[in-house]
Amino acid sequence: MRVHHLNCGSMHPLGGRLMLAAEDAGPPHMVCHVLLIETGDTLVLVETGLGTEDVRHPDVRLGKPFRHIVRPPLRPAETAIEQIRGLGLNPDDVRHILLTHLDLDHAGGVTDFPQARVHVLADEKAAADAHAHWKERERYRPPQFASHKHWSLHQPDGEAWFGFDAVRELEGLPPEILMIPLAGHTRGHAAIAVDTGAGWLLHAGDAYFHRHEMQAKPRCPLGLRLFQQLVAMDNERRAANQDRLRQLAVSQANEVRVFCAHDAAELAQCRASRPA
Ligand SMILES: [Zn+2]
């Protein structure tokens, strides 16, 4: 198994230092952290970030509020499909996509891989289809996923993973890849665990947003802290799950590398320690 850490969508949110810690160098900058896994003759994506249709038609696909508040530069070269080609790999070999959730900055690349099977928790797909709450009408963008044909909708089952519920034996995927339900940010949010053979990776999606939140004494820039509370579907559950994740990150630091979707420094650390 070979794992590449990609950024499939830079973002420069309004709010500057309220959103990123004072010691962060350079302009306020967030990423969409995507894993590309080579396993046998198959490619697996964990998350997709923004896709080519988002870059081409951002007002329709992402909506104007997202464009003007989150301010993605929308670079074609950052899409997963272009980066796969750039690595000399064939995008048609992407057979599986695992999504932590279906928010617009995570599911945008799905339409670039119509042949792939998309794995999400059943609760997440139901929430995205129902579009019931005003927050869900903003965050889920049906053109990104409504016409996709191949879905595997999962319920937690089987043996726990480091004390967390887990979905194991995902149809068509090697046993080294699991989904870990972590609801709160959305109704069916999950983390994705990957056993690389040299330790676990845990892609925590939007269960937290800033690397300092995974320290024993957590810190988070004020703007990001408020943002997380505002967009959560169940803030109490989000906070409780973030606590459990922090305990895991602190107690199993040698076994499990935990990272979230949008922290640029975490992405840089992953790339430095696990070169593609
Ligand atoms: Zn996100």
Side-chain angles (χ1 to χ4, degrees):
M1 177 186 288
R2 188 172 183 199
V3 181
H4 306 266
H5 294 266
L6 312 179
N7 169 20
C8 297
S10 297
M11 303 184 285
H12 300 264
L14 287 177
R17 295 292 167 218
L18 280 174
M19 299 300 276
L20 296 157
E23 68 269 29
D24 286 339
H29 167 228
M30 294 169 90
V31 297
C32 292
H33 192 152
V34 169
L35 303 181
L36 171 66
I37 304 172
E38 297 182 53
T39 168
D41 52 6
T42 295
L43 298 177
V44 177
L45 282 171
V46 176
E47 306 273 63
T48 65
L50 302 179
T52 51
E53 290 300 301
D54 302 315
V55 170
R56 277 193 204 124
H57 308 291
D59 286 347
V60 176
R61 291 270 299 202
L62 304 171
K64 286 184 180 168
F66 181 84
R67 262 193 98 178
H68 296 301
I69 294 168
V70 180
R71 302 190 300 178
L74 300 169
R75 301 181 182 111
E78 285 187 350
T79 59
I81 193 167
E82 282 305 318
Q83 294 192 64
I84 289 168
R85 289 185 184 125
L87 289 164
L89 299 168
N90 183 353
D92 293 343
D93 291 336
V94 175
R95 298 279 169 221
H96 297 275
I97 297 171
L98 295 102
L99 297 177
T100 61
H101 60 305
L102 285 163
D103 273 0
L104 76 173
D105 51 330
H106 298 255
V110 165
T111 32
D112 289 331
F113 306 96
Q115 77 286 354
R117 176 161 294 279
V118 175
H119 299 258
V120 285
L121 291 185
D123 285 351
E124 184 65 13
K125 181 66 163 46
D129 287 341
H131 241 203
H133 190 279
W134 67 266
K135 291 180 188 176
E136 291 168 328
R137 289 191 283 276
E138 287 299 319
R139 72 192 324 148
Y140 297 128
R141 306 292 293 183
Q144 291 181 330
F145 56 83
S147 63
H148 194 79
K149 292 195 174 65
H150 314 292
W151 294 89
S152 281
L153 306 178
H154 299 287
Q155 306 280 357
D157 59 3
E159 196 191 333
W161 179 86
F162 289 98
F164 287 79
D165 286 342
V167 185
R168 293 178 183 261
E169 296 181 26
L170 297 153
E171 186 185 353
L173 282 164
E176 291 83 6
I177 303 178
L178 320 179
M179 297 186 87
I180 313 294
L182 274 184
H185 177 72
T186 60
R187 297 179 206 244
H189 185 278
I192 312 295
V194 182
D195 184 358
T196 65
W200 287 92
L201 299 176
L202 186 68
H203 193 312
D206 288 359
Y208 72 98
F209 273 70
H210 196 279
R211 61 197 172 281
H212 293 162
E213 291 179 285
M214 287 297 106
Q215 297 173 350
K217 287 191 179 152
R219 296 183 281 134
C220 184
L222 177 66
L224 257 193
R225 198 159 68 226
L226 296 174
F227 172 77
Q228 292 186 69
Q229 292 170 11
L230 176 73
V231 301
M233 292 308 298
D234 181 342
N235 192 50
E236 226 169 276
R237 209 160 166 207
R238 178 195 70 82
N241 272 331
Q242 193 185 93
D243 259 346
R244 297 168 68 216
L245 200 57
R246 179 165 31 254
Q247 286 166 27
L248 174 80
V250 171
S251 67
Q252 304 292 337
N254 295 327
E255 295 281 323
V256 186
R257 175 184 281 270
V258 180
F259 51 90
C260 67
H262 299 306
D263 189 299
E266 282 184 343
L267 176 64
Q269 287 162 7
C270 287
R271 284 175 168 167
S273 62
R274 295 177 186 275

